[in-house]
Each structure stands twice: as structure tokens, then as C-alpha cells.
Amino acid sequence: MPPRDSVNLESLSIHLPNGLGPSAFNLSPPPACPITLNISMRLIASSIRDTAEGDSMSGLGVNYSVVCKQIYALAACPGRNWSGPWELMWELSRIPLSLPDVEDVTVEVVMPKALLHADSAVYRAVYTKQTDAGSSMNAAKAGVETQSKGPDSEENNTTRRCEIRDLKTECIIGLHPHERSEKQRLELDISVEGVDWKEWKHKEFADAVYDFVTMSAYGTIESLIHALGSHLFELPILRNSHNNSRNKNTYYQPSISITIRKPSAIPYAVPSITIQRTAADYPSGSASASASAPASAPDLRYSEGRKRVFIAVGSNIGDRVANIHRAIKELESSGCEIVGTSRLYESEPMYVEDQDRFINGAIELYTSLEPLELLRLLKRTEKSVGRKKTFTNGPRVIDLDLIFYGDEQIMIGERGDKPDEDGVGWLECPHRSLGEREFVLRPLADIAPNLVHPSLRQTNHQLLSRLPSTSPPPLQPIIPFSGPSKPLRLSSPAIPYVMAIFNATPDSFSDGDSSRTDPEQAIKAVEKLFADENRSPDILDIGGMSTRPNSDPCTEEEEVNRVIPLIQAIRSSPNPRLRTVAISIDTYRASVARLAVQAGANCINDVRGGSEPGMLEVMAETNVPVVLMHSKGDSKTMTSAQMTDYSSYEGGVVEGVRTELREMVDRALKKGVKRWNIILDPGLGFAKTQQDNVVLLKSIRELIEGADSPLKGYPMLVGGSRKGFVGKIISRQIASERSFGDAALNSYAVHTGVVDVLRVHQVGEAKDAINMSVAIRDA
């Protein structure tokens, strides 16, 4: 609102004989309670001037004494029972809004006895006059009474706010040993806007904050405040962007502000940290998926009667990734809605060690099945995928374990009860040994780090952090290739795998050759890449259309004819290394990607990050790893001033790429692309200036692992090989003469420890640079 003169009433103390909504102890009926009112009446432009000219009681535009008495009489009326703050505030606002000189009214109700652990709950709202029948100003000057919308009007939703002030709690917080020896006091202020106020309960919300912070044990306030924000957006009041119980066409965009003070941190001051967050700030969690739902369609995941459930998945026999995918597909066909996945991890077997490594992950789903019905479905799915009973903790084609069923603790039957025909004997949820099982906790922490265990009263993140650390870690994330290829196990710090560029094109900027469009010639060129087993690529990236700046796209038919026969020839090659190598299709066309996967490719590398029509749907449908590359525009416009402008981002190109990659990830997850399949590429050379490319490369670690980075946990691919910016720096116009520049780029990427895949033209040389760089880095 533009600034305007105002008349204000502050600290108006009122005793409400019949209370105001629920009490701190949930007493019914609520006891009498005190409140403090703060009211600001914004005036029309001429009000103060007109009053000054009259300078008399009769000339007052707003007689604040009269307004104060009327408000007090209405609020404290012994016969009134206020259902809650919004009804009281709306009724009070009508008193000043009836005055011709008042344009709008801000009402704030401070409730000092509303909460046990906080100083007060504070409600604030802005009310304006109706303008349905024309200008409220003209109506007021004509003597017509004007009123705001009713207390439950959704039009006022965005003008309402509730704040929990000075919530006091104690927890372990700090990095130094003396700070972790005993609990310290923290003070919090939390304000909430944009929720369904008919469902809002300040006591439940404040209790959720208190419980989470009390059970936390973070080293820094930064970690605590970020985790608290993420946890709050998993609460139903903030998670549900669509109101299922009332107005089906009403959508909410919740936002929160959190301040945490640590009074004991330093002797002569009280430090604090404040953040403002929306659901979009937590894309790795499920809250972001609901927040990004289009306004044209309700989010059906939250329909009544459905439970939020977490399932642990594992396999160590056969094509382990394919087994997991098949099990998920069968659960979906049985009515379960998959809404989130973790990364996939490879781990050594526990308890019985004489068996192959497991691949483990976690999925989040919604179901209307009761716990025992769901367990039966899981057992039937295991049998359908091919699991046969062996022995306890033995090898298995698929393992599906019910980890969390809402926030319930469930015990049906007794441990050791004889299983029935479905394999169900008893059910304990959550499992009593969950707190010691990293192969379950680590995947859970990917998708629900702040979900609180119903009996241990600790979050998944906290339970995971309490496990002993080992080197190397017992679980390593993977790029989940399947089919004839094997998953690639990632390390930390990263030792990059090599993706070989193979352009089956006549016009690529560095290696275009018309002979490569002939499948027979192309397969011979591919075979040369695998002549030396120690210097052959881990992934083969096949492209049938040049995407260099200013290139002209070939037709879809040409692209298909260049890549599909070549992929088929590689998959039928007598050379076992060719038959089993991971093949990536470098395309932004959905139809080409689908045909390539059908022909044997098991990765989609999209320079446009899934922005072309139908591509995200194909990525979800084919269920293969995908590379989402950051880029803007097309081959003709990517170098324009508009596409290379990141000045709107406070952090320049690094923050711009981080934000836009996060948006790509959000769109992909919403379309059903699994988190464990996503690989990110910052897009060196695409829609960046010369300086941008260098800054972005230097900041790769910050991009992926910076404080609160929404990209943390996703594998990173870097492809700078023979790019134009390398040629400019080392003064080499001919692309094939840029190998020393490439070696330096690749070595720096290794040094960062966060680059998992390097996309290169010269495979052997790149592997040499990687090996040498790793030896120096890890010495």
C-alpha cells in the first residue's frame, strides 16, 4: 500500500469475559482472557488538512476517543462469545471503516496468555471498504455506510498474518564441546501468512515448533533454522496448498518468517538469524511439489482418508535397478500414488555378509489402504517381482518394508507369528531397529529429513547424524543405469566418470564429419574408443544434431536416422564392453529420446533441461537417468544479451544458474521423474558470457554444496570440452587443438570434489588428467 496519513490506537487493553478461541490448556469453554489491541486507521489524502483547517471537535475527521470507546464496548461486551480472533477483528474494523475519512484499517490482536511456551500469539489483518458498487471514497462522502468483506472472506487471505512471539525452548546447539555438554536457551519468533485460516490453530503450530527445536541437536543456528523451515512446510497447514475440505477452487501460497535468538552465544549482545521461506525453497522435499501445483488443477495427493507412507526398497539379485522400478510400477497400478523418491545407494550386506551388494532407496507415497492391507500389497508385490523365501537377512530380488504409516505407531500380532498365505505374520511400524539402519535412514533423510519418528521423537536427520561415521561410508550413491549396463557408484570426494562425446553429425563444431552419419562408419569410430580397456569411456553420449551456437537444427527424421541404427549396432556388437556400456542420447526432442531408449540407450542428456514439449513425460515414462542441463534460448539466441543477463540475481550467474536449475528439477519431479534419476549440468558455454563460464566453473562447489543449496545431493556433470570459451582463453581457434585447456579444466573439476561426470572428446587424455588430479588431491 502507498504511504498515507493515519490515526492510531496502541496498547488498548481489554478483558474478554468469554475468552477468545482455544486456551493454552485447550479448556472448553475457554476461560476469560486479556488481549491488547493495536489499530491503525489509514486516512484519505485530505483528512488531516481538513481537520487542521477546522481545528475544532466538530471538524475532526476521526475522533479517536469515540472510536476507542466504541471498540472497547463491543470487544468487552459480556454477552458476546467470539469464535476466534478473525471474527473479533472483522467486527471491530467496521467501526472505523464506517467513517468517511478512513480508507482502510489494520487491526492487531496480541494474546499474551494464548500459549504455554511463548510470550504471545499475535493476529494481524488489514480490512478495506467494499468497492463492488463503485468508489468507496465517493460512497463514504455521500454518507453511505461501507463495510469490509465478512470475517471468513477468502479475498482477505493475503492480508492476514499470525505471529508466535518469543517462544522459549532449550536444546543442544553449538559446535564447541562445552556448548554440547548441556542444553541452551533459544528464543524464536515465527510468523505465518497465506494459509487456510479456517484450519489454522496457533497452539498446534507453536507446539510443533517447540517439539522440533527441543529435540534438535544441530551445530549451528543456520542448520537449525533451515531444518525447522523445512519441517514446518511438512505440516498439513502449510503443506496443503489446496483446501480439500471446503472451497475446492481456493489455493493458498503459505509463507513463513522465522527468527532464532541465542542469548548465551556472546557476552555483550544477542545474536539472531532471520529467514523468510515459501514451499518453493524446499524443492528436495515433498512440500515443494505441492507448492508448484498449477492453479488449474487441485493437488489430489491430500484428499481425505489417504495416508502419507514411506517404504524402503532394496534389491541384490539380478538387475537390481530394474527390480526396484518394476516393484514401484506394480504399487502404482494397485492405486498407490508415488510422490517422492530418494537417491539410490549401494551398500554392503548387513548381518549375512556372504552375498552381493544391495541397492537401497526410499519412496514416499499416498494410499487409502489400512496398514495391514498395505503390508499384504507389499508382500504380494515382492512375490510378483520374483522374490522367493530364502533365510532371514538373505539375498532377495526385491525387498519392500513399511517404514512410516502417517505418524502412527503400529503393532499388530507378535514378533515371530507364523505368516499366512500372503507372507504376513505380524506388523511393527516403525521397525524397532530403524535407528541403527543407515541403509534405511540415509535414503529417508533425502526426502523427509525433518520427519519426526513417532516414538523416538527425533527426526530422520538427527537419527542419521547419531550413527558412527566410517571411511569410506557404508552407503554410496549411484547413477542407476540398468539393462545391459551396470550402475555407476559415486564417491566422496568425487572421482569423475568419463562420458565420451560421439557426434553422429556432419556439422558439430569440433568433430563433425559426414562419415559419422553412416551407421557402418560410425560403429567403426565407436569401436576405436574401446580399443584400450583402461582408457575407454564409462558412458557414451551419442548426438545426432549439432547444438553449437548459430547452428541450424536438422529435421527430426535426420536425427533419428543418424542415432537409432548406431545405438542398435552398439547393443548388438560382439564386443562385450560396447554391448554393456551406458549409452546416453544427446537430444532435446522427446520423440527421439523415446526411440533411442527403445533401441537400447539408457540415459537422456537434454541440453534444454526438459523444457521442450513432452520431454519430461518421456523422461518419467522411460525411467532412465537424465541429465538436466542449464541453458536458455536456442542455438540462434543463446549468446544474445538477453539470454546471458543474470543481473536480476543478487549472486549473478552462480545464483541464476542455481535458481533456474532448481526450477528445472521442480518441474521434472512434478512430472514424475524420479529424484534418483536426475543428474545436473551447469551448461558451460550455453547462455553465458566468457566471464560467466569461468566464474561458474570456479564456483561449482558453491553451486552444488553452498549453504542451503537446493541442488545438494544431485550428481553433477560438467562438459567444457573444446568449448569456445576455452579456445578464447588459450588462443586456439581450432577446436581440436584445445586439449591442454581441457586438461586444466578437467583437473580443476576433479579438485572441487563435487563433479561426478566429465563430458569429453578425448577419453584417454581425460582419464590421465583425472587419475593424476585425484592422486594429488587425495594424497
Side-chain angles (χ1 to χ4, degrees), residues 333-464:
S333 67
S334 299
C336 296
E337 183 180 6
I338 310 298
V339 295
T341 61
S342 67
R343 298 179 76 177
L344 286 179
Y345 296 85
E346 193 171 60
S347 64
E348 302 297 334
M350 285 185 66
Y351 309 119
V352 180
E353 298 180 1
D354 186 19
Q355 53 182 315
D356 291 335
R357 288 172 173 168
F358 274 85
I359 288 180
N360 297 104
I363 60 175
E364 177 186 3
L365 58 83
Y366 277 80
T367 180
S368 57
L369 295 175
E370 292 297 320
L372 209 54
E373 294 176 317
L374 179 58
L375 180 60
R376 292 188 186 282
L377 173 61
L378 298 180
K379 294 297 184 182
R380 290 196 298 268
T381 302
E382 288 178 342
K383 289 181 181 179
S384 175
V385 174
R387 178 172 179 176
K388 293 180 171 49
K389 186 174 181 180
T390 54
F391 50 86
T392 302
N393 300 317
R396 64 214 66 180
V397 170
I398 190 70
D399 193 17
L400 301 173
D401 287 330
L402 178 56
I403 303 302
F404 289 112
Y405 185 87
D407 57 0
E408 296 182 23
Q409 291 181 256
I410 301 166
M411 189 68 203
I412 300 175
E414 300 289 340
R415 290 178 63 87
D417 283 355
K418 184 178 179 180
D420 59 20
E421 65 276 5
D422 287 326
V424 175
W426 53 278
L427 171 61
E428 182 180 14
C429 178
H431 194 283
R432 67 179 62 184
S433 301
L434 177 60
E436 67 185 45
R437 295 186 171 184
E438 184 170 354
F439 64 90
V440 178
L441 286 174
R442 190 164 296 280
L444 277 174
D446 284 341
I447 49 177
N450 300 308
L451 186 68
V452 177
H453 191 292
S455 60
L456 300 179
R457 303 306 300 164
Q458 295 184 22
T459 67
N460 290 323
H461 172 82
Q462 291 168 331
L463 291 171
L464 180 62

Side-chain angles (χ1 to χ4, degrees), residues 22-88:
S23 70
F25 290 97
N26 280 327
L27 299 178
S28 182
C33 72
I35 65 168
T36 300
L37 282 174
N38 297 310
I39 297 176
S40 178
M41 296 162 275
R42 207 168 66 124
L43 306 175
I44 62 175
S46 62
S47 180
I48 296 296
R49 184 184 66 246
D50 294 345
T51 297
E53 290 176 354
D55 197 22
S56 64
M57 185 66 70
S58 61
L60 287 174
V62 175
N63 188 326
Y64 52 74
S65 176
V66 171
V67 171
C68 183
K69 291 176 181 177
Q70 291 175 340
I71 287 175
Y72 189 93
L74 176 61
C77 177
R80 289 300 301 261
N81 287 280
W82 304 105
S83 61
W86 301 126
E87 181 188 16
L88 170 65

Side-chain angles (χ1 to χ4, degrees), residues 129-140 142 144-147 149:
K129 295 176 178 177
Q130 281 187 334
T131 57
D132 300 3
S135 168
S136 62
M137 200 71 63
N138 293 335
V144 178
E145 182 180 357
T146 59
Q147 300 173 356
K149 297 288 185 180

Side-chain angles (χ1 to χ4, degrees), residues 614-632:
M615 178 56 95
L616 291 178
E617 288 81 358
V618 169
M619 288 177 171
E621 171 195 325
T622 55
N623 217 354
V624 297
V626 301
V627 180
L628 301 179
M629 193 189 86
H630 177 270
S631 182
K632 293 188 288 187

